[in-house]
Amino acid sequence: MEALIVQLGRLQETALSELREISATRDLAHWRVQYLGKKSELNALSKQMGSLGQEERPLFGERVNEVRKALEEAYAQRQTALAAAEQALRLAQETIDITLPGRAVCKGAIHPISRVIQEIEDIFLGMGFSIVDGPEVETDHYNFELLNLPKDHPARDMQDTFYLSDELLLRTHTSPMQVRTMERMEGHIPIKVIVPGRVYRRDEDDATHSHQFTQIEGLVVGEGIRMSDLKGTLEAFAKALFGPEQRVRLRPSYFPFTEPSAEVDLLCVHCHGEGCRVCKGTGWIEILGAGMVHPRVLDMSGYDSNRYSGFAFGMGPERIAMLRYGISDIRLLYQNDLRFLAQFARA
Ligand code: 2NL
């Protein structure tokens, strides 16, 4: 019994002194297994109880419990102290220097062409139009044939384009999508759509021409649609886009897919009709092409031209952006030069 008590005392001393040496919480677990675990010396000693006499047992048992309690308490204390110290160290090390200047956010800008397209879309949405878009690779059939431009038509020269095969090409206008809309509507009315999108033509690039540009075309088909509806719609559009003082002027023109056809002028956005450099002294600037949908185009798309009529128009967002923002060279719109584009970031 004496020897066991001495052993217990030594065990407690060794365990506590080793615990004091431990300086990190991650090393505590090992100590705990060694001195308080199932295979610990303490456990082994307590099993020796059986070899003691009746009257010695309670005394020894009490002593074992004392030691266990002392070790457990010391462990818990050490654990708390070390965890607190580690936390304090982490807090001290992980502080961020809030005096560092923040990283500047690069503010993007909507491209002027997109901006003009969005504005025009909003205006026509407000007049009850829908917006549709479709493929840039089209068939000769939709791009030309159904728009009254048969294979040998001289007007094809003006739109001589990028062919992928005899039948496939990059569309030269967004009109094929309007034809597709008429087909999809299967003779139902009314049709009121605008079609924004990229188009392609074989052209020499210069300050006012590009082989790739964007177009917004509109189409209205119904019963009793007249030229006055066309003019009224475009006048409302012009006022919404350029202000209530705007007026439109129609001049006779020719497109294969409209009859009659017209060029549509707006009061010069620069001099408001006085005559200046921008409008070459006329007070007017051409902004749209338009007309009554050619009866043959209606018939080919399933709308009996004896019963239905419609108007259509087309415009170039580039030209409108150039007038609005005073851009002198169309190529600036395609070069993605940040010095140019950054000017369109909102303040
Ligand atoms: C312009 C002229 C125009 C059309 C486009 C059209 C479409 C169908 C039927 C009839 Cl499906 N016409 N589109 C009509 C007249 C003019 O565009 O100067 N565009 C930039």
Side-chain angles (χ1 to χ4, degrees), residues 147 175-176 178-179 182 201 213 215 217-219 255 257-258 263 286 288-294 297 312-316:
L147 285 154
S175 320
Q178 293 168 297
V179 170
M182 284 192 276
R201 292 182 190 179
F213 56 104
Q215 209 187 19
E217 280 192 63
L219 174 72
F255 300 107
F257 27 81
T258 46
E263 307 279 1
E286 187 196 322
L288 289 126
M292 300 308 291
V293 180
H294 197 293
V297 173
F313 54 88
M315 64 187 118

Side-chain angles (χ1 to χ4, degrees), residues 183-239:
E183 278 192 358
R184 188 170 49 80
M185 290 287 282
E186 294 180 319
H188 293 280
I189 54 164
I191 293 178
K192 284 172 83 178
V193 291
I194 58 164
V195 187
R198 283 200 187 88
V199 299
Y200 305 82
R201 292 182 190 179
R202 204 192 63 180
D203 215 340
E204 294 291 332
D205 290 3
D206 63 25
T208 53
H209 296 84
S210 171
H211 62 281
Q212 176 193 315
F213 56 104
T214 56
Q215 209 187 19
I216 297 183
E217 280 192 63
L219 174 72
V220 171
V221 179
E223 262 172 320
I225 304 287
R226 302 182 300 178
M227 195 89 180
S228 52
D229 297 311
L230 167 63
K231 190 173 182 190
T233 302
L234 294 181
E235 200 163 85
F237 164 69
K239 287 179 196 294

Side-chain angles (χ1 to χ4, degrees), residues 109 144 180 313 337:
F144 290 130
R180 288 176 182 277
F313 54 88
D337 186 331

Side-chain angles (χ1 to χ4, degrees), residues 117 121 131-134 171 174 194-198 215-217:
I117 291 174
E121 284 177 350
I131 301 166
V132 292
D133 62 10
R171 66 182 179 189
T174 55
I194 58 164
V195 187
R198 283 200 187 88
Q215 209 187 19
I216 297 183
E217 280 192 63

Side-chain angles (χ1 to χ4, degrees), residues 262-327:
E263 307 279 1
V264 184
D265 296 341
L266 260 59
L267 277 182
C268 176
V269 295
H270 194 246
C271 66
H272 309 286
E274 295 288 306
C276 69
R277 189 173 39 80
V278 175
C279 58
K280 300 195 182 81
T282 64
W284 295 92
I285 39 170
E286 187 196 322
I287 206 103
L288 289 126
M292 300 308 291
V293 180
H294 197 293
R296 214 175 283 151
V297 173
L298 285 173
D299 288 330
M300 283 190 287
S301 294
Y303 285 82
D304 180 356
S305 58
N306 291 311
R307 181 163 171 201
Y308 301 110
S309 58
F311 65 80
F313 54 88
M315 64 187 118
E318 279 87 345
R319 183 161 160 72
I320 294 171
M322 289 169 77
L323 285 167
R324 161 160 299 178
Y325 303 118
I327 300 163

Side-chain angles (χ1 to χ4, degrees), residues 9-53:
R10 273 209 209 105
L11 170 62
Q12 178 172 1
E13 242 173 70
T14 325
L16 290 180
S17 102
E18 265 185 41
L19 184 62
R20 279 191 295 273
E21 300 287 301
I22 292 175
S23 55
T25 49
R26 65 171 180 278
D27 300 329
L28 281 171
H30 181 249
W31 182 92
R32 192 192 170 100
V33 170
Q34 192 181 346
Y35 290 105
L36 289 165
K38 266 201 194 109
K39 293 179 184 163
S40 62
E41 199 182 337
L42 186 62
N43 246 7
L45 278 173
S46 72
K47 279 181 190 142
Q48 305 252 349
M49 188 122 62
S51 66
L52 296 175

